[in-house]
Amino acid sequence: MAMVASDNAPLLAEVDMGTDSSASTVRATVVQASTIFNDTPATLDKAERLLAEASGYGSQVVVFPEAFIGGYPRGTNFGVSIANRTAKGKEDFRKYHASAIDVPGPEVDRLAAMAGKYKVYLVMGVIERDGYTLYCTVLFFDSQGCFLGKHRKVVPTASERIIWGFGDGSTIPVFQTPIGKIGAAICWENKMPLLRTALYGKGIEIYCAPTADSRDVWQASMTHIALEGGCFVLSANQFCRRKDYPPPPEYVFSGIEEDLTPDSVVCAGGSVIISPSGTVLAGPNYEGEALISADLDLGEIAREKFAFDVVGHYSRPEVLSLVVRDHPATPVTYTSASVKTEGGLCITPVTIS
């Protein structure tokens, strides 16, 4: 094990590599680290340092946690109770909104440049700002520095629904790349059988699962998905202490603040890499910030699907089938009928349908 520096604190690099250097082997890293809350530029700087470290270990695909850019607002309630919102809660949301990023936007351009600079496929959890609605989103970049696309969390969990919108079927991509077919589901989306089936139907091979769930039972879900989908599962979670969030009264962990010290762990990580056979290749890590890496033998996918292919020979489409409505669901559609110029101005008639 090697120790590397990050934000003046040691970062554990947990590397469990195989010895097969064939073309069918992909070196993967999941990043377990905390956001610098309410400071998106500093978080981007931290992301680049971590990406550089992972690249130094030869990683070809790097997965960051849920909401790494923009932050996971653990413990806060944004001042909401039924039929009431406090002034402080509204201001908390304004700050959170300001820390989110536009897609596309300058932060996306920087992330693309990072992926190209370090020659890695990058899967990054962000808080996406679309007007005044926020989405928990995963962004995908290739090793040439191109932005491939995004996945928006289709169902925010519990009180996440106060602050995040719902994704739709138009952002459930699986990208064909030279290192395999890559896609993602975020946190408790991974418990949704039909969403998983939509990804399996697209042939996902490197299944990324950014999360905020550090419970032991999360490992059971990750193992099941690897076995069910016949795919490699790469799950990345933040490791956070109370001091990684702003101090009270600016930021309060509702109901437990009085029990916390600055060094109290509020998210213990548990990031892990699992093979299609259900074998844990690296992790889970509950010790601190870490780069957790393993070599993925892509030939294992075929070996395991020989016995069980959930959308192939083990399916019964005449009995059970899934329809995915993969078009954008928008509340307002504008259809431009014609464009004509009057008085030197460009007038575009629009029909609201």
Side-chain angles (χ1 to χ4, degrees):
M1 294 186 181
M3 302 298 290
V4 294
S6 175
D7 292 338
N8 300 316
L11 178 66
L12 178 64
E14 179 181 311
V15 186
D16 185 7
M17 303 298 190
T19 58
D20 183 359
S21 59
S22 69
S24 66
T25 300
V26 173
R27 185 157 292 180
T29 293
V30 292
V31 173
Q32 181 164 287
S34 65
T35 299
I36 302 174
F37 210 82
N38 284 346
D39 194 337
T40 294
T43 303
L44 286 164
D45 290 343
K46 182 174 183 176
E48 181 159 10
R49 290 194 298 273
L50 296 168
L51 199 59
E53 292 292 344
S55 175
Y57 293 119
S59 296
Q60 296 161 273
V61 56
V62 180
V63 182
F64 278 76
E66 177 180 14
F68 186 77
I69 306 296
Y72 187 81
R74 185 176 299 277
T76 189
N77 59 19
F78 287 88
V80 172
S81 57
I82 293 176
N84 186 58
R85 289 173 175 81
T86 66
K88 182 181 184 305
K90 291 179 180 180
E91 176 61 12
D92 290 344
F93 180 80
R94 184 201 65 78
K95 291 178 182 177
Y96 192 55
H97 180 271
S99 295
I101 67 172
D102 296 319
V103 182
E107 294 85 1
V108 177
D109 293 341
R110 182 174 176 191
L111 290 167
M114 289 182 201
K117 179 179 179 180
Y118 298 107
K119 305 300 181 188
V120 299
Y121 286 83
L122 173 60
V123 181
M124 175 64 74
V126 307
I127 299 304
E128 177 191 359
R129 179 177 55 222
D130 188 352
Y132 290 94
T133 294
L134 303 180
Y135 295 92
C136 184
T137 298
V138 169
L139 306 181
F140 301 86
F141 303 87
D142 73 13
S143 60
Q144 303 304 305
C146 295
F147 172 53
L148 298 176
K150 68 185 180 184
H151 165 60
R152 285 177 172 173
K153 195 173 190 177
V154 295
V155 183
T157 299
S159 57
E160 292 174 357
R161 297 170 198 171
I162 296 169
I163 52 167
W164 297 339
F166 288 63
D168 60 35
S170 67
T171 66
I172 310 177
V174 171
F175 298 101
Q176 174 72 65
T177 78
I179 65 167
K181 296 178 181 178
I182 301 174
I186 306 169
C187 206
W188 279 20
E189 282 188 319
N190 288 282
K191 296 185 177 186
M192 301 171 66
L194 300 186
L195 180 64
R196 296 198 308 268
T197 302
L199 293 171
Y200 301 151
K202 293 184 176 183
I204 191 167
E205 295 169 329
I206 299 176
Y207 185 116
C208 304
T211 188
D213 191 339
S214 61
R215 298 173 305 155
D216 291 344
V217 294
W218 180 252
Q219 303 303 317
S221 291
M222 297 300 96
T223 300
H224 172 77
I225 291 168
L227 289 166
E228 179 182 68
C231 53
F232 289 94
V233 173
L234 282 55
S235 182
N237 193 5
Q238 297 194 29
F239 182 93
C240 305
R241 299 184 186 275
R242 176 63 185 87
K243 63 187 177 185
D244 293 317
Y245 287 81
E250 180 183 353
Y251 191 104
V252 175
F253 278 74
S254 180
I256 61 170
E257 185 64 56
E258 63 278 6
D259 299 324
L260 300 176
T261 69
D263 287 325
S264 295
V265 174
V266 294
C267 182
S271 302
V272 69
I273 299 175
I274 302 176
S275 80
S277 68
T279 301
V280 175
L281 300 179
N285 182 298
Y286 297 100
E287 301 303 318
E289 293 200 335
L291 300 177
I292 301 162
S293 302
D295 282 342
L296 317 181
D297 174 8
L298 298 185
E300 189 172 351
I301 295 172
R303 291 193 289 271
E304 293 304 317
K305 288 196 173 184
F306 173 52
F308 183 85
D309 185 355
V310 67
V311 291
H313 63 77
Y314 225 93
S315 66
R316 288 290 304 278
E318 75 281 14
V319 179
L320 303 166
S321 62
L322 172 66
V323 175
V324 180
R325 296 172 181 84
D326 59 358
H327 57 278
T330 56
V332 181
T333 301
Y334 298 97
T335 303
S336 178
S338 63
V339 177
K340 56 185 178 181
T341 302
E342 296 181 5
L345 299 176
C346 184
I347 310 284
T348 305
V350 294
T351 300
I352 299 177
S353 58

